[in-house]
Amino acid sequence: MYLFVVARGLNRIVAAHVVVSTTSILYGAFGGSLSDEIMEAESFSHDDPWASWVTSQLDELVNNMYSGRGIPRKKDGPILRFDPNATFEDPAVVCLGHDEIIECFRALKVTNPQHISPPRLLQFAPRKNHKNAWSATYALDQRYGGFLSVRSLLVIHLDVMDETKNTGDETDKANHNAVLIKKIEERWNGVALLGNIFWYSRRLNGTTSYALTSLLVN
């Protein structure tokens, strides 16, 4: 009798998780749309050499992430590095930490991701009310599995150390790991991600995905 009650309770928990997770995914898939005007907007450019330096590295990272080449395992680099507690979120998953994010995009290559058009930087600017924090927004126009087309906004939050932000010396730039990737958020069709209970459901998906990818994807 006890085992029956436990099994019944677990079934209800699993069913609730499936409902919440499916709702989050459907909301992202059908809760809005990105116009051709946004997707075809001219790429953002910046006169500041430092901003151009950072965004060129972000361009390379985003292109690799969404073309199946993944993310380097090396945490530190001369230009960008992931914060140890960095997060990636989309309507399906929440991944915490560099290792989980790596596995997420290693798994993505199974879907054969392709650019319908190259990722386009729409904005790179300081974040309001956040000292030394910047954000970059990209327009993604992707195809997965050869048939599924998805348009998204990719928002990347960065923390910047003062000494690198204020220097123009290339040697100093090469010697500082000063640009930290704090958060990456993919908004399918430009739709804001659901929070609260939906976050916990997506987090469970992220944990499960990490475990399975580590075991099953070469």
Side-chain angles (χ1 to χ4, degrees):
M1 181 64 180
Y2 174 76
L3 292 177
F4 173 77
V5 172
V6 171
R8 188 173 181 181
L10 288 175
N11 286 338
R12 288 179 176 177
I13 292 172
V14 171
H17 168 68
V18 170
V19 169
V20 172
S21 182
T22 301
T23 300
S24 177
I25 291 170
L26 292 177
Y27 181 73
F30 301 107
S33 63
L34 288 172
S35 67
D36 290 339
E37 182 179 359
I38 293 176
M39 300 306 297
E40 295 171 3
E42 185 176 348
S43 294
F44 180 84
S45 60
H46 208 296
D47 294 332
D48 180 9
W50 175 85
S52 297
W53 167 70
V54 174
T55 55
S56 67
Q57 304 306 310
L58 286 173
D59 289 348
E60 181 179 1
L61 175 67
V62 173
N63 269 286
N64 288 339
M65 288 166 59
Y66 286 91
S67 61
R69 291 191 290 271
I71 298 173
R73 288 197 173 275
K74 186 178 180 182
K75 295 183 176 65
D76 297 333
I79 308 299
L80 297 172
R81 63 184 171 98
F82 280 83
D83 184 270
N85 298 314
T87 63
F88 170 79
E89 299 188 37
D90 69 9
V93 300
V94 172
C95 298
L96 301 183
H98 186 244
D99 290 340
E100 285 194 19
I101 297 172
I102 285 176
E103 291 303 306
C104 177
F105 283 90
R106 200 164 68 86
L108 188 67
K109 70 180 183 180
V110 175
T111 68
N112 187 30
Q114 298 175 332
H115 303 320
I116 295 175
S117 59
R120 183 178 289 104
L121 179 65
L122 300 179
Q123 185 180 42
F124 181 71
R127 296 178 62 201
K128 293 181 180 178
N129 303 319
H130 290 78
K131 184 180 180 181
N132 296 329
W134 289 63
S135 67
T137 302
Y138 284 84
L140 302 180
D141 196 2
Q142 295 286 120
R143 180 177 292 113
Y144 300 99
F147 69 93
L148 178 62
S149 298
V150 179
R151 288 180 169 182
S152 304
L153 292 180
L154 190 74
V155 181
I156 303 174
H157 291 172
L158 306 164
D159 275 1
V160 183
M161 294 171 63
D162 284 337
E163 59 264 37
T164 296
K165 174 65 182 72
N166 294 327
T167 182
D169 186 85
E170 293 296 328
T171 303
D172 286 344
K173 287 180 181 178
N175 290 333
H176 285 289
N177 293 321
V179 183
L180 296 179
I181 298 172
K182 301 287 287 187
K183 181 178 182 180
I184 303 175
E185 186 174 295
E186 184 180 352
R187 302 171 182 173
W188 299 350
N189 297 305
V191 177
L193 300 178
L194 297 174
N196 298 322
I197 191 173
F198 297 97
W199 186 94
Y200 291 99
S201 180
R202 292 186 289 117
R203 177 65 191 126
L204 178 58
N205 290 341
T207 304
T208 304
S209 173
Y210 172 66
L212 292 177
T213 302
S214 301
L215 291 173
L216 302 177
V217 179
N218 294 324

